[in-house]
Amino acid sequence: MEKVKLTLTVSGTTATATSTRPIMGELYAVGVEYASGTNATTDLTLKVVGNDGMPDLPLLTVADNATSGWYYPRGAAVNTSNSAITNSFVCLPLHGKIQANVAQSTDTKVITVTLLYEG
């Protein structure tokens, strides 16, 4: 298991942090730590960017929250006909830089995002 940590320092109400190198593997968990006093309307989005010309890959959205915790995002599995496989989920692929964005937050607060992945 490997990890990458992104630190966002809010300026005004927004912040963005991007990993310095591309991350390759499968996402297992995301930890989010909000600084004390962070506004409860804080929105966090996490995505893969610069994915070899492919569109950004959304990984996680946490809206209107300031409670630290762990998340385990998964994608819905489909068969070769693109039909959902009932109650089946897969780890999300990572193939590019990871970007975290924060909106509607509190000036100068620090938010730390930690991704645990299998590389």
Side-chain angles (χ1 to χ4, degrees):
M1 193 69 57
E2 299 183 53
K3 75 177 177 179
V4 63
K5 189 177 281 192
L6 300 172
T7 303
L8 299 102
T9 302
V10 179
S11 176
T13 60
T14 63
T16 298
T18 304
S19 63
T20 56
R21 62 178 179 81
I23 306 300
M24 309 299 179
E26 292 183 328
L27 180 62
Y28 281 88
V30 177
V32 182
E33 184 179 355
Y34 297 92
S36 178
T38 300
N39 191 338
T41 62
T42 298
D43 296 332
L44 170 72
T45 57
L46 191 62
K47 61 186 173 181
V48 178
V49 296
N51 193 7
D52 288 335
M54 296 294 293
D56 292 347
L57 174 66
L59 299 174
L60 178 67
T61 299
V62 181
D64 295 331
N65 191 43
T67 302
S68 299
W70 284 94
Y71 301 89
Y72 306 90
R74 297 291 184 265
V78 297
N79 64 22
T80 57
S81 299
N82 197 32
S83 297
I85 301 171
T86 305
N87 296 322
S88 183
F89 299 93
V90 297
C91 290
L92 297 172
L94 303 176
H95 191 266
K97 291 185 177 183
I98 308 301
Q99 185 177 82
N101 294 289
V102 166
Q104 300 185 126
S105 196
T106 311
D107 191 35
T108 72
K109 295 301 180 184
V110 175
I111 300 166
T112 304
V113 177
T114 301
L115 285 83
L116 297 180
Y117 67 98
E118 192 71 43

